Amino acid sequence: MISFLDLKLINNQYRDTLIEAATRVIDSGWYMQGTEVHAFEEEFAAWCGTEHCIGVANGLDALTLTLKAWKELGRLKEGDEVIVPANTYIASILAITENRLKPVLVEPDETTYNLCPEKTATAINSNTKAILAVHLYGQIAPMPDIMALAKTHNLLVLEDSAQAHGAATKGKKAGNWGDASGFSFYPGKNLGALGDAGAVTTNDPELAKTIRALGNYGSHKKYENLYQGVNSRLDEIQAALLRVKLYYLDAETQRRREIALAYAQGIENPVIIQPIGRDANLASVQNHAFHLYVVRTGTRDALQQHLLNAGVQTMIHYPIPPHLQQAYSDWNTHSYPVTEDIHQQVLSLPISPVMTDEQVQKVIESCNDFPVPNR
C-alpha cells in the first residue's frame, strides 16, 4: 500500500538530528520560552522574509490571536466583516467568529481554489475591515491583486499560510504579503512538528508585541497583564525539532514539485481534472508548495475506491464545507454552488518528499487505469 503520508518515514530521514535536538533541550533544564524558541523565531522569520515571528501553540491560535490583537489595537471591533473563502478549512472561520467578527464567505476561483479578486471586490462594503486570504492546498492566493484591493479600501490582510510554507509569487513568500500571517506546524504540514505548533509572521512590531503578550496570558512582563490573554506558546522541544526540519524544507518542497509535475504529465485520464496543466515545468510551479495534490472528478468515490483497490491511499480535503457544518447551522440553508461542487469532487493523491519514483509511477498508472464512462 502506498501510504498517503508516512510521517514515520519522513521523520526517520533526520532521526538522529531530531534526537540530538530534543536531548539538547532536555539537558538544558529550560523548557519554555528559551533559546530554541527564540532561535526558531529568528530563523523562520528570515526564511519567510519577515521582520518578526511569534511562536504559538497551533495554527488556529496564530489566526485567532492576530485578529484579537487587531481588536486590542483598535484596528478591528466586534461585528466588523472579514472576507474569507467559502471553501476553506473551518479553522479559518473559527478564528473570525471566536473574535466576534462576521465572516463573509466568498466563492473561490474554480481553478486555483483560492480567493477570486473579482468576487472579493464585489463582497467589499462599508462594514468590511479585513480579508483573510487562504493559500489552500499550498498554492499562494493572488496576493498582488488582494493587496491592491486592500490598499484601495483600507483593509487589513491576514494570510492563512497553514498549508503554504514556501509558496511564493513575484519573489515574495507566503507569510510576507499581508499585514500578518498564521502558520501551522501540525505534524502533517510541509514543515511539521512532532506535535502541535504554530506561528505568526509580520512586519509590524506593534502587532508582534501585542500577539506575544496575548499568547502569554496577556502579559508583556512577568506578573503584569495588559490584556485578557490566553496560554498559547511554542514550547522548546517543538522549536528545536522545527529548526532541524526547516533546514531540509526547501529541498523537500522541490521534491513535492517534481512529483506534482510527474502527475501532471503522466495522468492522462480525461475524467481526472488536475491542479496544473501538462505543459507545466518546475519554473511555472514555484508559487505552489504542494502541501496537497488535489484532483477533481465527478466520480470521486469510485475513483477513491479504485485507487484503494490498487494499493494507493488517498484522502478528501474536505468532504463538508464550513457553511454546511452543524457548528454553523445558521448557514446550512445558504448556497455556495462552486464551493459545494469542489467539496463533492476533490480527492487528494499522495504527495510526499519520501515517495519513490516507482511509487509515483504506480499512482499515475492506477489513475490512468480508472475506467472512463462510455469510452
Side-chain angles (χ1 to χ4, degrees):
M1 175 68 70
I2 297 175
S3 172
F4 179 75
L5 184 65
D6 190 336
L7 291 178
K8 183 177 179 180
L9 188 59
I10 288 174
N11 290 319
N12 195 55
Q13 299 175 101
Y14 19 78
R15 182 178 185 274
D16 291 344
T17 312
L18 290 171
I19 291 173
E20 289 174 8
T23 302
R24 186 169 67 243
V25 175
I26 294 168
D27 291 347
S28 75
W30 192 298
Y31 307 125
M32 293 295 298
Q33 301 294 289
T35 57
E36 297 293 342
V37 168
H38 299 319
F40 173 73
E41 289 176 338
E42 290 182 358
E43 290 162 7
F44 191 67
W47 187 80
C48 290
T50 61
E51 294 295 323
H52 305 280
C53 170
I54 308 96
V56 297
N58 53 68
L60 174 56
D61 282 1
L63 300 177
T64 304
L65 288 173
T66 301
L67 295 171
K68 185 175 177 65
W70 279 331
K71 289 180 69 179
E72 294 288 357
L73 292 168
R75 301 176 193 176
L76 291 175
K77 66 180 185 305
E78 186 172 324
D80 284 345
E81 294 185 359
V82 180
I83 290 174
V84 62
N87 63 313
T88 186
Y89 182 57
I90 200 169
S92 310
I93 297 170
L94 289 171
I96 299 170
T97 56
E98 175 66 19
N99 280 286
R100 298 184 181 277
L101 302 167
K102 181 181 178 182
V104 175
L105 307 186
V106 173
E107 290 270 56
D109 181 293
E110 200 166 358
T111 302
T112 66
Y113 310 119
N114 282 328
L115 273 177
C116 169
E118 292 76 17
K119 294 176 183 176
T120 301
T122 301
I124 295 172
N125 60 51
S126 60
N127 297 317
T128 308
K129 300 302 177 184
I131 299 173
L132 203 167
V134 182
H135 308 314
L136 198 63
Y137 306 146
Q139 182 167 9
I140 194 167
M143 293 310 296
D145 292 337
I146 290 171
M147 296 308 297
L149 272 176
K151 183 177 181 180
T152 299
H153 297 279
N154 193 28
L155 305 178
L156 294 163
V157 176
L158 174 57
E159 297 174 71
D160 183 339
S161 301
Q163 300 182 353
H165 316 70
T169 186
K170 296 188 179 298
K172 187 185 289 190
K173 286 181 179 177
N176 192 24
W177 277 94
D179 298 286
S181 178
F183 283 90
S184 169
F185 305 124
Y186 182 78
K189 303 299 185 184
N190 290 24
L191 178 59
L194 273 69
D196 261 329
V200 178
T201 55
T202 183
N203 293 308
D204 181 341
E206 186 178 27
L207 178 65
K209 182 179 179 181
T210 306
I211 292 171
R212 192 175 297 282
L214 284 169
N216 188 37
Y217 300 99
S219 174
H220 69 300
K221 183 178 180 181
K222 194 168 185 178
Y223 301 130
E224 294 183 18
N225 302 79
L226 287 173
Y227 314 107
Q228 296 178 25
V230 298
N231 178 6
S232 181
R233 299 172 296 196
L234 176 63
D235 72 64
E236 280 289 285
I237 283 186
Q238 295 301 342
L241 302 179
L242 286 167
R243 292 183 68 196
V244 171
K245 299 184 73 174
L246 180 60
Y247 179 83
Y248 299 96
L249 184 54
D250 287 332
E252 292 195 349
T253 302
Q254 202 66 1
R255 175 56 179 163
R256 288 175 179 273
R257 291 171 177 149
E258 291 171 358
I259 295 170
L261 287 174
Y263 285 163
Q265 294 165 5
I267 297 174
E268 300 176 339
N269 195 318
V271 302
I272 299 175
I273 302 170
Q274 299 200 66
I276 54 176
R278 299 194 67 190
D279 58 345
N281 54 49
L282 277 175
S284 69
V285 296
Q286 295 302 305
N287 67 322
H288 207 317
F290 290 103
H291 171 59
L292 300 170
Y293 192 88
V294 180
V295 299
R296 288 178 64 186
T297 178
T299 55
R300 191 258 308 280
D301 293 346
L303 174 60
Q304 184 174 42
Q305 187 60 53
H306 167 83
L307 292 174
L308 183 63
N309 293 342
V312 177
Q313 186 182 44
T314 60
M315 293 190 71
I316 298 171
H317 297 88
Y318 302 96
I320 305 173
H323 73 279
L324 295 180
Q325 297 283 357
Q326 180 61 34
Y328 293 106
S329 57
D330 289 350
W331 301 348
N332 288 175
T333 58
H334 295 187
S335 176
Y336 297 93
V338 174
T339 292
E340 290 162 18
D341 283 349
I342 288 171
H343 283 256
Q344 291 168 7
Q345 296 176 2
V346 291
L347 186 68
S348 300
L349 303 182
I351 185 166
S352 160
V354 295
M355 286 182 70
T356 66
D357 290 343
E358 291 75 19
Q359 288 175 321
V360 172
Q361 188 59 35
K362 172 65 174 177
V363 174
I364 292 170
E365 292 172 356
S366 300
C367 286
N368 288 335
D369 287 343
F370 179 61
V372 178
N374 301 319
R375 183 166 65 179

